[in-house]
Amino acid sequence: MENIEYVLPGDIEKRSFEIISRELEERNIVLPKDQELVTKRVIHTSADFDYAETMTYSEHAVEIAKELIRNGADIVTDTNMALAGINKKVLARYGGTAHCFMADEEVAKEAKERKVTRATVSMEKAAAIEKPVIFAIGNAPTALISLYELMEQTGFRPAFIIGVPVGFVNVVAAKELILKTDVPHIVNRGRKGGSNVAAAICNAILYQL
Amino acid sequence: MENIEYVLPGDIEKRSFEIISRELEERNIVLPKDQELVTKRVIHTSADFDYAETMTYSEHAVEIAKELIRNGADIVTDTNMALAGINKKVLARYGGTAHCFMADEEVAKEAKERKVTRATVSMEKAAAIEKPVIFAIGNAPTALISLYELMEQTGFRPAFIIGVPVGFVNVVAAKELILKTDVPHIVNRGRKGGSNVAAAICNAILYQL
């Protein structure tokens, strides 16, 4: 078949990252060394070079996230798609578990009664976990807004926030809220993001361990 | 909190689609009526208006996909992320099941022995399902290439192909292969796509039933 390049299955990812590196160079984009593997994996999962301009890291973010996972932190995400994408085997090797409470029946029931989103109830549930938690938000801006409110109102402080919800309503503003906090974070500024991006960021961190 | 717009949880999606419609208008893009809901849901899931230019539909594609699901077709996808994202409740209402064989141990074993991708083995397994199948490919170009080879070599004909793998190696060429066939399809031309996009397309079809 014409135009099909023969690449061994195990080499496809390597070849993809070579292409990404070359095209970043062609765009004169130099990613900071410690952020490089994470941002490149996000581009790999989206084929979208916009992320090279909008991915925003707090100081030493990747190193802090690695250390948290090494010490057994859990990951809480806001979609079952991200949960499916996160490499739970590697996480478990260090004692961590990945959770998503969004589809829990009790969460749905409570959200309906209180007229809030399921994301809000899920974040409250996650905040009650008695160990460090990395919040990986790929879908619901209300999850980020709820985390911010919990911090303001209860003094709760998440160990780490991956803030990459996608969309058109409150997404940009919710990310800016998190950028104002002193919580270690990786945030993609703007509208873009998603469950796939949240999972890619988690995996890029896990694969560096 | 400044900049946060108060929208009732149930209204967020509606409001998002209004924004998408308005911004498509501002870009002077008019989507064909029968493709509109699918392409808009893809933009909703990615916040990426590029899809308005690259989503490609065979004739009456959406109507054909709806009819297949109404008659109980299964969906086979190539990632557990897409599987997690597809609304399986609505699909089940019509007698369909969603599958992903990629993580099956026997698939991994056979792929290793034959030095092919797991996607190839998964597609062969899916082709053996004895009812109409919608293939929803969001990750592996080799899944599309394998489907094409099966068609050429065995006369197998998929009922429908959603071809939206993402990436840098063989992705563009694999999509072009499918566009050459007479199989009803929805393909996103170019590098972009993903599990989230595959799930969004499936759901946009399911929600129209």
Side-chain angles (χ1 to χ4, degrees):
Chain A
M1 284 173 291
E2 47 181 341
N3 301 324
I4 301 290
E5 183 182 355
Y6 187 73
V7 183
L8 276 174
D11 291 340
I12 292 174
E13 185 169 301
K14 187 168 160 266
R15 179 98 185 84
S16 300
F17 275 84
E18 285 166 5
I19 296 171
I20 293 167
S21 299
R22 197 185 59 218
E23 295 196 17
L24 282 169
E25 240 175 83
E26 285 166 8
R27 288 171 164 81
N28 292 314
I29 296 172
V30 181
L31 300 172
K33 208 73 203 143
D34 57 325
Q35 304 170 7
E36 194 183 350
L37 290 174
V38 176
T39 298
K40 280 186 182 170
R41 186 162 290 277
V42 170
I43 295 170
H44 177 254
T45 212
S46 61
D48 189 341
F49 283 88
D50 282 2
Y51 286 99
E53 316 273 5
T54 51
M55 287 284 286
T56 307
Y57 298 73
S58 63
E59 213 178 340
H60 308 301
V62 176
E63 202 41 64
I64 292 168
K66 279 157 71 178
E67 197 56 27
L68 281 164
I69 290 171
R70 259 191 225 109
N71 291 321
D74 280 2
I75 296 177
V76 172
T77 182
D78 67 329
T79 68
N80 280 309
M81 278 187 78
L83 184 65
I86 294 168
N87 193 318
K88 292 164 289 290
K89 262 191 203 165
V90 178
L91 184 62
R93 210 176 289 155
Y94 298 93
T97 307
H99 313 266
C100 172
F101 303 123
M102 294 292 287
D104 290 7
E105 264 179 49
E106 47 167 350
V107 168
K109 192 165 162 270
E110 189 180 333
K112 206 173 173 185
E113 281 166 8
R114 289 171 50 197
K115 286 192 177 135
V116 297
T117 62
R118 285 179 296 151
T120 296
V121 182
S122 296
M123 289 303 107
E124 291 168 2
K125 200 170 162 172
I129 294 176
E130 284 176 347
K131 63 189 282 197
V133 168
I134 296 175
F135 290 81
I137 309 304
N139 184 56
T142 47
L144 293 184
I145 298 167
S146 300
L147 280 179
Y148 185 82
E149 286 175 339
L150 280 171
M151 289 166 70
E152 293 279 295
Q153 291 160 11
T154 71
F156 167 69
R157 195 174 179 279
F160 197 96
I161 298 177
I162 295 169
V164 293
V166 58
F168 297 87
V169 177
N170 290 336
V171 166
V172 175
K175 289 170 178 170
E176 294 300 323
L177 275 183
I178 300 306
L179 289 169
K180 285 199 302 187
T181 70
D182 66 348
V183 174
H185 59 254
I186 301 175
V187 167
N188 186 59
R189 277 204 148 101
R191 284 173 168 177
K192 288 183 181 176
S195 308
N196 52 337
V197 173
I201 293 171
C202 292
N203 290 338
I205 294 162
L206 288 163
Y207 296 157
Q208 291 180 52
L209 294 174
Chain B
M1 285 173 291
E2 45 180 342
N3 301 326
I4 302 289
E5 182 183 357
Y6 187 72
V7 183
L8 277 174
D11 290 340
I12 293 173
E13 185 169 301
K14 188 169 159 264
R15 179 98 185 83
S16 301
F17 275 83
E18 284 167 5
I19 296 170
I20 294 167
S21 298
R22 196 185 61 218
E23 295 196 18
L24 283 168
E25 241 174 82
E26 285 166 11
R27 287 169 164 83
N28 292 315
I29 296 171
V30 181
L31 300 172
K33 209 74 202 141
D34 57 323
Q35 303 170 8
E36 195 183 351
L37 291 173
V38 176
T39 298
K40 281 185 182 171
R41 186 162 290 277
V42 170
I43 295 170
H44 177 254
T45 213
S46 61
D48 189 341
F49 283 88
D50 282 2
Y51 285 100
E53 315 274 5
T54 50
M55 288 283 286
T56 307
Y57 298 73
S58 62
E59 212 178 343
H60 308 301
V62 176
E63 203 42 62
I64 291 168
K66 280 157 72 178
E67 198 55 29
L68 280 164
I69 291 172
R70 258 192 226 109
N71 291 323
D74 279 3
I75 296 177
V76 172
T77 181
D78 66 331
T79 68
N80 280 310
M81 280 188 76
L83 184 64
I86 293 168
N87 193 318
K88 292 166 287 291
K89 262 190 203 166
V90 178
L91 183 63
R93 209 175 290 155
Y94 299 93
T97 307
H99 313 264
C100 172
F101 303 122
M102 295 292 287
D104 291 7
E105 265 180 47
E106 49 167 348
V107 168
K109 190 167 163 267
E110 188 179 335
K112 205 173 173 186
E113 282 167 7
R114 289 171 49 196
K115 286 192 177 132
V116 295
T117 63
R118 285 178 297 149
T120 297
V121 182
S122 296
M123 290 304 106
E124 290 168 2
K125 202 170 160 170
I129 293 177
E130 284 176 348
K131 62 190 280 198
V133 168
I134 295 175
F135 290 81
I137 307 305
N139 186 56
T142 45
L144 293 184
I145 298 167
S146 300
L147 279 179
Y148 184 83
E149 287 174 340
L150 280 172
M151 288 165 71
E152 293 280 294
Q153 291 161 12
T154 72
F156 166 69
R157 194 172 181 279
F160 199 95
I161 298 178
I162 295 169
V164 293
V166 58
F168 298 88
V169 177
N170 290 337
V171 166
V172 175
K175 289 170 178 170
E176 294 301 322
L177 274 185
I178 300 305
L179 289 170
K180 285 199 302 187
T181 69
D182 65 349
V183 173
H185 59 257
I186 301 175
V187 167
N188 186 59
R189 278 205 146 99
R191 285 172 167 178
K192 287 184 181 175
S195 307
N196 52 338
V197 173
I201 293 170
C202 292
N203 290 338
I205 293 162
L206 288 163
Y207 296 158
Q208 290 181 52
L209 295 174

